[in-house]
Amino acid sequence: GGTPTVAKVANIARVVEAAHRHFILPSNETISIETTPKIAAHDPEKIQALKALGIGRISMGVQVIQPSLLKALGRTASAADINMMARDHIRAAGFKKFNVDLMYGFARQSLKAWEETLRHAIELAPEYVTLYRMRYKGTRIAGQAVNVELAQVNAMSKLAKDILSAAGYYANLGKNTYSKIKGDVGTSD
């Protein structure tokens, strides 16, 4: 985990330049970076600078839109309008490969809340949606793991597959990234 866009653009540039200096990267290789809705919404100049560095894929950690779960994740600034503003800045910067990360399997996450998160993600119109099942080990909410049943997690996974497939997103068998682009698995190079 982690959010590289917390770093200053100059530091990110140093990493990208070092990669180009020390590795022979294929010309079709796409550099990917992760951001938060808050950074993308409130610092559009940084998003533009990242694109100018040659970064071609950006992933935004929406995670969920249910306020109580956002609070548990330490994400108080991920309201739907911030996500939309972040998306607009990402698109204005010229990113053609936009991924949204979502999380499911929380103790207090209903199927209805999960469906709302999925539909919000689709409304953001990313090329890719990556799903992560909540893994409690080592987190500050680890004690909640006993309140999550496998049947609940499986129902959420199936719901995601059904909703994303109906919206034109497809994942390779056993993979957690859904892509709207035929032949593009949507994962980072």
Side-chain angles (χ1 to χ4, degrees), residues 2 7-8 14 16 23 26 47 56 93-95 101-102 106 108 113 138 157 165 170 177 179-181:
K8 293 179 181 176
R14 287 180 35 224
V16 170
F23 301 100
I47 301 304
F95 282 95
D101 289 338
L102 303 178
F106 290 94
R108 294 184 312 258
S157 179
S165 295
Y170 298 96
T177 296
S179 176
K180 229 177 178 182
I181 302 172

Side-chain angles (χ1 to χ4, degrees), residues 87-163:
R87 184 266 326 260
D88 291 347
H89 292 160
I90 287 167
R91 292 304 192 190
F95 282 95
K96 305 267 187 265
K97 291 186 173 194
F98 172 41
N99 177 72
V100 170
D101 289 338
L102 303 178
M103 293 181 75
Y104 67 100
F106 290 94
R108 294 184 312 258
Q109 187 178 32
S110 68
L111 275 176
K112 183 176 177 0
W114 178 228
E115 180 176 350
E116 289 169 1
T117 294
L118 290 162
R119 297 211 182 276
H120 174 68
I122 291 166
E123 192 178 342
L124 293 172
E127 283 71 34
Y128 320 109
V129 176
T130 302
L131 307 178
Y132 293 98
R133 177 179 167 191
M134 178 56 187
R135 305 287 186 201
Y136 286 92
K137 187 176 180 179
T139 68
R140 64 179 163 204
I141 57 174
Q144 295 179 14
V146 297
N147 299 321
V148 180
E149 296 182 10
L150 185 58
Q152 172 194 2
V153 171
N154 289 341
M156 289 178 164
S157 179
K158 182 181 181 328
L159 181 64
K161 180 180 180 187
D162 293 347
I163 288 174

Side-chain angles (χ1 to χ4, degrees), residues 54-87:
I55 296 173
R57 179 184 180 275
I58 192 163
S59 183
M60 185 170 76
V62 169
Q63 315 314 0
V64 296
I65 61 168
Q66 186 179 347
S68 63
L69 292 175
L70 287 170
K71 186 176 180 183
L73 289 168
R75 296 268 178 115
T76 56
S78 292
D81 57 338
I82 292 194
N83 293 336
M84 292 296 190
M85 187 185 313
R87 184 266 326 260

Side-chain angles (χ1 to χ4, degrees), residues 2-13:
T3 306
T5 53
V6 169
K8 293 179 181 176
V9 172
N11 291 335
I12 296 169

